[in-house]
Amino acid sequence: MSLISKCLTTSAEPSFSLSIPLLNLLRACRTVKNLQQVHTHIIQKGYEQDHFIINQFISLCNTFSSDISYATSVFESVIQPNVYVWNTLIKGYSKHSSFADCFLILKQMKRSMNVIPDKYTFPSLVKSCSSALALREGQAVHGLIVRYGTDGDVFVGSSLIDLYGKCNQIEYARRIFDEMPLRNEVTWTAMVVGYIYFGDLSQAKKLFDEMPHKNIASWNAMISAFVKFGDLLSARKLFDSMPGKDVVSFTTMIDGYAKAGDMASARFLFDQSFDRDIISWSALISGYAQNGQPNEALKIFHEMLSMNVRPDEFIMVSLMCACSQLGRLDLANWVEHYMSQNSFDLNQVHIAATLVDMNAKCGNMERATMLFEGMPKRDLVSYCSMIQGLSIHGCGSQAVVFFDRMLNEGLVPDDVSLKVILTACSRAELVKEGCRIFNLMINKYPVKPSPDHYACVVDLLGRSGKLKDAYELIRSMPIEPHAGAWGALLGACKLHCDIEVGKKVSHRLFELEPQNTGNYVLLSDIYAAANRWLDVALLRQKMSEKGLKKIPGCSWV
């Protein structure tokens, strides 16, 4: 039975009167297709000029679809829409379109006869400006608010506080807050959030404590602030003292723990949460993937599927990252097949880039290349995925070709992409190419070499047997080299049995990492390879005096 038939059978009247049947039809709508069915009957029965019915209709259009064109076409069929219909259309534009389009609608509204913007007109416009951080346009709306005398309304004032707070005009926001004759929980929360955006956590907490009445949004805002500033102890304390928690409260804490690497606490709260939405699942799955626990990410994903929760694109991206870490081609193929079968748009930039990365790291360079070449726009992330994949699978020369192609396309490398290509050169012992790229980094691109970049070049020179050049590079570094650079060189000294450089490097490492037995073992191996057993014995005696012990290997692993 169709939607129309179902509603008609429950109606007391067989014909479409203005009241019960049409409203029943609208309340029963769940999709745009349902609305289109009802729209036909509205037109047939001559109610396309009824402001109440059309207002309800446009409101549902805004709810069910992000495409504002259908709602606009319905609106344009109304000869003289009243202010409520105008406001509903503006609300839809503020939700689904740009603030520039919202201003065009406002301009048309002001030109229409017998309609004056009211206190319900402006919050949507201000919200649109806030979302775009469009301060100048927001100030223009503020001027109209004063002109039309709606600045005393609590919701209008709250929207202005939100605008100025998000645009870092905290003094203006506070002035509006202090001058408001009436404030509610929304007003107080907007001011608290303004201080959070401004970076003043202490003032936000002070104002939060002064709030006469707090709603759940107020609590969640403050918890989110503590999480944002990395104060998980205060966030958890506030979370535990909440009089009532919702899914946002739990998800905020789960996400905070996940980003801090505390997956045990994240999982505990996830299991304790009484209600879970797709964002909760996403926070946990991405947390496991980002913290190097891909198997746990897969387990949670399958648990989610077993509960008939359909993943969104963000969960699939996290799942692909987990597959990349595992390097399992069978899983990669399953994930891609699942996405194709479930109507995910594989051409979205972030999805396409993650697909390239997953296939490259799982060894399917042919598929990765095909996906890469099919991308409408390639960025640094997609290029890095290809370069890293080629490097992992022993194709260092091709990785350099891709890097040069990236430069020819006008993309400017950042510190991450330069580290990826230098690592690729090191693995493949491409000394000439690696030194060329490092020189480009120093002389051409606005990226200051970090200790990690120097460590890559040291490793490159060391692997290639240029130990003295690597040692001189470390000594000439304008920044203090970390243990990783010295360690890479000591490993190269072992590889090439260079006792002279090895002794110098190891002594520096002993200063940097006095408790790291691995450095002593490496130097001992260098001595042993040269049959200098007395030096081996002396070094082991030194380790014993310092209370250091070599960690025994476990052959059964």
Side-chain angles (χ1 to χ4, degrees):
M1 187 181 290
S2 70
L3 173 73
I4 301 293
S5 301
K6 285 180 181 179
C7 290
L8 283 175
T9 57
T10 60
S11 175
E13 299 179 33
S15 63
F16 275 78
S17 65
L18 175 61
S19 55
I20 298 175
L22 276 179
L23 290 176
N24 282 344
L25 286 169
L26 287 172
R27 288 166 185 158
C29 288
R30 294 293 179 269
T31 65
V32 173
K33 187 176 181 180
N34 294 156
L35 284 175
Q36 290 170 341
Q37 293 174 337
V38 177
H39 191 197
T40 301
H41 287 267
I42 289 174
I43 294 172
Q44 286 177 348
K45 301 302 177 180
Y47 293 114
E48 68 271 27
Q49 300 303 319
D50 186 280
H51 291 159
F52 183 78
I53 294 295
I54 295 301
N55 188 51
Q56 297 294 313
F57 192 91
I58 293 174
S59 179
L60 288 171
C61 284
N62 296 338
T63 302
F64 297 148
S65 175
S66 60
D67 185 0
I68 200 69
S69 60
Y70 184 36
T72 305
S73 66
V74 173
F75 172 85
E76 289 174 347
S77 68
V78 183
I79 297 173
Q80 285 189 332
N82 63 13
V83 66
Y84 302 108
V85 180
W86 278 103
N87 288 345
T88 302
L89 184 70
I90 289 174
K91 188 175 182 179
Y93 269 88
S94 72
K95 185 178 179 181
H96 300 302
S97 190
S98 65
F99 69 88
D101 289 336
C102 292
F103 272 82
L104 289 175
I105 300 299
L106 177 65
K107 191 175 181 181
Q108 294 174 28
M109 179 182 182
K110 289 167 63 181
R111 287 177 177 175
S112 63
M113 297 177 61
N114 303 320
V115 176
I116 298 175
D118 62 9
K119 63 182 181 180
Y120 300 106
T121 306
F122 295 110
S124 297
L125 287 165
V126 177
K127 183 178 180 181
S128 182
C129 294
S130 298
S131 300
L133 300 181
L135 178 60
R136 183 179 298 178
E137 290 78 4
Q139 289 172 326
V141 177
H142 190 178
L144 290 173
I145 287 169
V146 174
R147 177 183 170 186
Y148 286 102
T150 61
D151 49 322
D153 179 74
V154 65
F155 291 102
V156 172
S158 299
S159 66
L160 286 170
I161 292 170
D162 182 66
L163 166 73
Y164 288 117
K166 287 179 178 176
C167 292
N168 279 328
Q169 301 294 316
I170 198 66
E171 292 181 3
Y172 285 105
R174 187 58 194 252
R175 187 184 304 169
I176 294 170
F177 177 84
D178 290 337
E179 293 175 356
M180 286 181 69
L182 180 66
R183 305 179 193 131
N184 60 11
E185 292 92 339
V186 177
T187 313
W188 282 86
T189 303
M191 194 65 240
V192 169
V193 171
Y195 279 118
I196 294 167
Y197 270 92
F198 192 66
D200 193 339
L201 184 61
S202 61
Q203 191 62 38
K205 182 62 168 63
K206 180 183 177 183
L207 197 66
F208 175 81
D209 292 336
E210 292 173 1
M211 286 181 68
H213 303 287
K214 302 178 180 71
N215 59 18
I216 199 162
S218 312
W219 288 90
N220 287 340
M222 201 63 232
I223 290 172
S224 179
F226 282 125
V227 169
K228 177 183 175 182
F229 285 87
D231 188 354
L232 285 175
L233 288 175
S234 297
R236 184 58 185 268
K237 184 178 179 181
L238 201 62
F239 174 84
D240 290 337
S241 64
M242 285 182 73
K245 304 175 180 68
D246 65 1
V247 65
V248 176
S249 316
F250 278 95
T251 303
T252 302
M253 288 303 305
I254 291 166
D255 188 54
Y257 279 125
K259 287 178 178 174
D262 186 356
M263 290 309 301
S265 297
R267 182 59 191 268
F268 175 79
L269 283 182
F270 180 83
D271 291 337
Q272 293 293 312
S273 59
F274 51 84
D275 186 23
R276 299 168 186 163
D277 61 9
I278 194 67
I279 302 174
S280 307
W281 290 97
S282 182
L284 191 66
I285 292 171
S286 66
Y288 278 125
Q290 291 166 8
N291 285 285
Q293 299 181 56
N295 285 313
E296 289 299 318
L298 286 169
K299 287 180 184 177
I300 298 299
F301 177 78
H302 286 298
E303 182 182 334
M304 183 188 71
L305 291 184
S306 70
M307 298 180 71
N308 296 319
V309 179
R310 187 183 184 278
D312 62 8
E313 61 190 78
F314 302 105
I315 287 179
M316 296 312 298
V317 166
S318 296
L319 188 66
M320 287 189 282
C321 291
C323 291
S324 299
Q325 293 174 45
L326 292 169
R328 285 182 54 183
L329 186 56
D330 58 333
L331 276 176
N333 291 336
W334 181 88
V335 169
E336 191 168 347
H337 176 74
Y338 177 88
M339 294 178 72
S340 299
Q341 293 295 108
N342 288 275
S343 304
F344 284 92
D345 184 3
L346 304 186
N347 292 319
Q348 291 188 71
V349 174
H350 64 291
I351 292 180
T354 312
L355 278 170
V356 170
D357 184 69
M358 178 179 69
N359 279 281
K361 288 179 179 174
C362 291
N364 193 350
M365 288 307 303
E366 183 178 352
R367 176 64 177 155
T369 303
M370 186 177 77
L371 289 165
F372 178 82
E373 299 296 348
M375 292 178 70
K377 185 179 180 181
R378 291 174 284 273
D379 58 9
L380 286 178
V381 175
S382 53
Y383 264 107
C384 281
S385 296
M386 286 299 295
I387 292 168
Q388 198 167 31
L390 290 165
S391 171
I392 290 170
H393 299 293
C395 304
S397 297
Q398 286 179 261
V400 174
V401 170
F402 266 84
F403 180 79
D404 289 335
R405 176 181 166 185
M406 181 184 81
L407 300 184
N408 291 333
E409 288 189 9
L411 292 172
V412 179
D414 59 4
D415 59 334
V416 175
S417 57
L418 285 162
K419 184 179 176 181
V420 168
I421 187 59
L422 288 173
T423 301
C425 291
S426 175
R427 282 177 174 159
E429 298 184 17
L430 300 173
V431 177
K432 182 179 178 181
E433 291 82 355
C435 290
R436 171 177 67 85
I437 291 168
F438 188 65
N439 287 330
L440 279 175
M441 179 182 182
I442 294 173
N443 299 318
K444 185 174 181 179
Y445 296 111
V447 180
K448 188 176 181 181
S450 70
D452 286 338
H453 295 116
Y454 277 102
C456 288
V457 180
V458 168
D459 188 51
L460 167 64
L461 295 171
R463 284 172 184 254
S464 304
K466 300 180 180 296
L467 300 175
K468 291 184 178 178
D469 291 338
Y471 180 67
E472 290 303 321
L473 177 63
I474 288 184
R475 292 189 62 191
S476 65
M477 281 174 59
I479 50 181
E480 184 66 27
H482 55 45
W486 291 106
L489 184 52
L490 185 58
C493 290
K494 177 190 173 183
L495 179 67
H496 297 283
C497 300
D498 191 317
I499 296 175
E500 180 186 351
V501 177
K503 285 175 63 177
K504 296 177 182 177
V505 173
S506 60
H507 289 152
R508 179 59 182 141
L509 278 168
F510 296 159
E511 294 174 0
L512 291 172
E513 300 177 322
Q515 300 302 312
N516 188 345
T517 58
N519 298 322
Y520 288 89
V521 172
L522 274 175
L523 182 58
S524 175
D525 290 343
I526 294 172
Y527 285 141
N531 292 320
R532 293 178 56 167
W533 301 108
L534 178 59
D535 290 321
V536 171
L538 290 172
L539 192 60
R540 289 183 177 177
Q541 182 182 349
K542 187 176 182 180
M543 289 177 64
S544 179
E545 290 171 355
K546 291 181 175 289
L548 301 176
K549 292 183 179 181
K550 177 183 176 182
I551 299 173
C554 298
S555 59
W556 54 269
V557 175

